[in-house]
Amino acid sequence: MISQGQESVRKEKGLTLTLALMVASAAVGGTVQYGYNLAIMNAPTVYIQNFINETFQERWAIQLEVYEITLIWTFIVSIFSLGGLTGALLAGPMSIHFGRKKTMLLNNIFLISSALLAVTSREARSFEMIIISRFLVGINAGVSMNVQPMYFGESAPKHLRGAVSLSSAVFTSFGLVVGQVVGLRELLGCESCWPYLLASNAVPGFIQLLTLPWFPESPRYLLIDRGDKNACLKALKQLRGCEVERAELDEMLQEKAEAEGLRARQPWELFTDRSIRWQLISVAVLSSAMQLCGNDSIYFYAFYIFQQAGLSAEHIQYVTIGTGTCEFTACILSNLLIERQGRKVLLMGGYALMTGWAVVFTVALSFQNLVHWMPFMSMGCVFTYILSFGMGPAGVTGVLPTEIFNQTTRPAAYMIAGSLMWLNLFIIGMIFPFLVSGLGQFCFLPFGTVCLITTLFIGFVLPETKGKTLSMISNEFNKLNFRQKETTENKRKQAHYQLGEVCHSTAL
């Protein structure tokens, strides 16, 4: 006979193992792609630029100027963000129509098409195929970045919801590190292998296609969107590894009752709904700040910083792997802390630290040529800035839409959040070179300002969501959403009360 303690341990092991396998299967072909496809474009820069120039010479006998090659290369890099924006807009309708799991499986069509175009581009003598390839893989990343956190948040139990959702950020940073390693000259970062480097992102996609079908659809999607209670119970039993707890099912049924008769909302409908006004503002601010804080820009600036510190170009590629490893380590630590410290503490702490490091970074850059050890201070700022970002904003931002929106508004909220994230990434990628040339050593002060404003916003507006049900979180936001209405009603009640007293006194 199994004791109650042994049964509890068995259930917990089943829960953790099943969820871990599901998370790994979804993420390896999901958010891993975002980090991986950002990282692999650094190594073949010179080779692809030479390929573009050779193509123009072969076709039209034109020798391109350096700025023209740079312009085409910038477009190849930036088209990834526009693809991500397109994917973010597709993610909502796809996740509603096909479901969370099937959307992630269908999303691999964009990935495999992209890999085929990339691997054949050199033989076809067409740099346009690289552009289309980057756009398609951007769509893949855009869909994954929205649907995967939704799938995780809806499948995890309440006490593990934050940690499971945050694993999306862990896998994003893991993809970044893997991309940096695979892009080394000793592996696929050499001139003869760059088409295979660009097409190597198909490998995680094939792994997902082979493994994800064995796991269930999101239980909340099955119950609330499809109305299939039996399928929901079956999915919950498979994910939990034991019988379904009554409290968890009751919470889902309550959300289903609240959404009864309601259809999935469109993004533009959220802007006119007063009941979710501050939820939408919070997601918009935090999604924008995630890119406007300058973390991705610091990756681009890292090469210059390391060069100024006296590192050779040969060694810089190995030190750069350290930046990705920093974010990966910080995301793992954040994953362990999120259910203990809460979302608000990690977000505020991350942005507050980034504000401080932006100031220190500016001072270090200002005295770079005057004090011999300042370049090493700049190197330290690169790592601490990335660590601070990974500790909070990198992962917690993606968790919030799952926790503060209900089933009918969640896909549209993710569409808005994802669109803002990709749009701001594109803008920062385009204007950052001009910020560097125009502001010089003060180029990180705008990013520090964004971090400071975001810290204050989180402190005054965002409630803690750890361990709370959706109705509890909604009640917290309603204090802001209906604050003016409540004030007016209180004044009206007070006026009515005083009027009653006057009438009563006159009667006496």
Side-chain angles (χ1 to χ4, degrees):
M1 187 174 179
I2 301 174
S3 67
Q4 188 175 356
Q6 289 174 325
E7 179 69 15
S8 176
V9 171
R10 185 188 67 79
K11 289 179 180 179
E12 189 65 30
K13 284 183 178 179
L15 168 70
T16 306
L17 178 62
T18 307
L19 270 180
L21 291 174
M22 184 271 284
V23 165
S25 174
V28 74
T31 51
V32 164
Q33 295 289 355
Y34 174 67
Y36 188 82
N37 285 290
L38 280 179
I40 61 174
M41 290 306 289
N42 290 327
T45 300
V46 176
Y47 309 134
I48 295 178
Q49 288 178 346
N50 290 337
F51 173 67
I52 293 168
N53 196 27
E54 291 169 4
T55 304
F56 268 84
Q57 287 179 340
E58 292 172 5
R59 291 183 187 175
W60 302 293
I62 296 175
Q63 178 71 37
L64 293 176
E65 299 292 335
V66 174
Y67 79 91
E68 292 174 322
I69 297 174
T70 305
L71 182 62
I72 296 173
W73 169 250
T74 303
F75 185 69
I76 290 174
V77 173
S78 300
I79 199 73
F80 177 73
S81 302
L82 294 181
L85 176 61
T86 306
L89 295 174
L90 289 174
M94 287 181 69
S95 64
I96 294 168
H97 184 72
F98 298 110
R100 293 19 170 178
K101 186 183 81 168
K102 192 177 290 185
T103 295
M104 297 186 70
L105 292 171
L106 291 173
N107 191 33
N108 286 291
I109 295 172
F110 300 113
L111 177 67
I112 295 169
S113 302
S114 166
L116 289 173
L117 287 169
V119 79
T120 56
S121 59
R122 185 166 59 183
E123 291 299 321
R125 309 304 294 171
S126 172
F127 67 88
E128 295 90 348
M129 292 172 69
I130 301 176
I131 295 174
I132 299 171
S133 169
R134 291 294 294 173
F135 181 74
L136 289 174
V137 81
I139 294 175
N140 173 269
V143 172
S144 297
M145 292 290 285
N146 279 15
V147 178
Q148 184 181 303
M150 203 187 312
Y151 181 45
F152 287 176
E154 292 176 0
S155 300
K158 186 169 62 176
H159 70 283
L160 288 176
R161 187 175 58 202
V164 171
S165 298
L166 185 60
S167 64
S168 295
V170 175
F171 279 96
T172 298
S173 54
F174 175 70
L176 188 70
V177 175
V178 174
Q180 289 172 335
V181 172
V182 173
L184 291 173
R185 295 187 186 95
E186 294 83 354
L187 297 176
L188 295 180
C190 56
E191 186 171 7
S192 60
C193 294
W194 66 259
Y196 305 105
L197 175 62
L198 298 186
S200 60
N201 52 26
V203 175
F206 280 118
I207 294 174
Q208 185 185 75
L209 285 171
L210 292 172
T211 56
L212 190 58
W214 297 98
F215 294 95
E217 178 57 87
S218 155
R220 286 181 182 270
Y221 173 81
L222 292 171
L223 179 65
I224 300 172
D225 289 73
R226 292 300 181 203
D228 192 341
K229 186 177 178 180
N230 291 330
C232 170
L233 290 170
K234 184 179 178 182
L236 281 172
K237 190 172 182 180
Q238 184 179 349
L239 287 169
R240 304 296 180 260
C242 59
E243 292 300 322
V244 181
E245 291 186 9
R246 185 68 195 176
E248 184 176 13
L249 185 60
D250 287 343
E251 183 190 341
M252 290 187 186
L253 289 171
Q254 181 185 351
E255 187 176 344
K256 182 180 186 299
E258 292 172 355
E260 197 72 40
L262 299 176
R263 58 173 177 80
R265 308 283 289 278
Q266 298 298 327
W268 54 86
E269 293 177 328
L270 303 192
F271 293 100
T272 58
D273 189 344
R274 185 171 183 174
S275 66
I276 55 170
R277 178 179 296 172
W278 280 97
Q279 289 95 314
L280 192 61
I281 292 172
S282 299
V283 166
V285 168
L286 294 175
S287 297
S288 299
M290 190 174 173
Q291 298 301 335
L292 298 178
C293 69
N295 183 72
D296 289 330
S297 301
I298 212 166
Y299 278 105
F300 297 123
Y301 210 55
F303 184 87
Y304 167 76
I305 297 297
F306 297 150
Q307 199 174 42
Q308 290 294 309
L311 295 175
S312 65
E314 184 181 349
H315 292 116
I316 286 176
Q317 64 170 341
Y318 301 107
V319 179
T320 304
I321 295 174
T323 59
T325 306
C326 261
E327 186 171 333
F328 180 50
T329 305
C331 285
I332 292 176
L333 185 59
S334 179
N335 194 283
L336 298 174
L337 293 175
I338 189 170
E339 293 300 345
R340 297 182 181 181
Q341 301 299 323
R343 287 65 160 149
K344 189 170 183 174
V345 171
L346 292 180
L347 277 172
M348 278 190 70
Y351 279 116
L353 286 171
M354 290 166 73
T355 304
W357 291 122
V359 174
V360 176
F361 199 16
T362 301
V363 173
L365 290 174
S366 301
F367 292 96
Q368 185 120 310
N369 298 321
L370 300 176
V371 182
H372 72 278
W373 50 267
M374 273 298 172
F376 299 99
M377 173 71 80
S378 299
M379 282 182 63
C381 287
V382 169
F383 287 101
T384 51
Y385 201 87
I386 292 171
L387 276 170
S388 303
F389 177 77
M391 279 291 294
V396 181
T397 305
V399 176
L400 289 177
T402 300
E403 297 188 326
I404 66 179
F405 289 96
N406 63 25
Q407 197 75 7
T408 60
T409 57
R410 194 173 295 133
Y414 266 108
M415 286 174 66
I416 294 170
S419 299
L420 286 171
M421 189 195 79
W422 287 101
L423 185 61
N424 284 302
L425 177 63
F426 177 75
I427 292 170
I428 287 295
M430 296 300 291
I431 69 170
F432 183 70
F434 300 101
L435 278 178
V436 174
S437 59
L439 298 179
Q441 67 270 29
F442 302 106
C443 63
F444 271 86
L445 286 181
F447 300 135
T449 304
V450 169
C451 293
L452 177 61
I453 294 171
T454 308
T455 304
L456 296 174
F457 177 87
I458 294 166
F460 288 109
V461 174
L462 191 70
E464 180 55 70
T465 60
K466 182 188 75 170
K468 295 180 181 178
T469 63
L470 179 63
S471 60
M472 294 166 64
I473 296 168
S474 297
N475 288 334
E476 292 277 348
F477 274 108
N478 284 341
K479 296 175 184 177
L480 294 172
N481 292 329
F482 300 103
R483 180 171 51 188
Q484 186 176 358
K485 184 178 178 181
E486 287 178 0
T487 304
T488 305
E489 287 180 354
N490 287 336
K491 288 181 178 179
R492 190 180 300 157
K493 287 179 180 178
Q494 186 178 2
H496 286 174
Y497 174 75
Q498 290 173 345
L499 184 61
E501 286 294 307
V502 170
C503 290
H504 180 65
S505 178
T506 306
L508 284 174

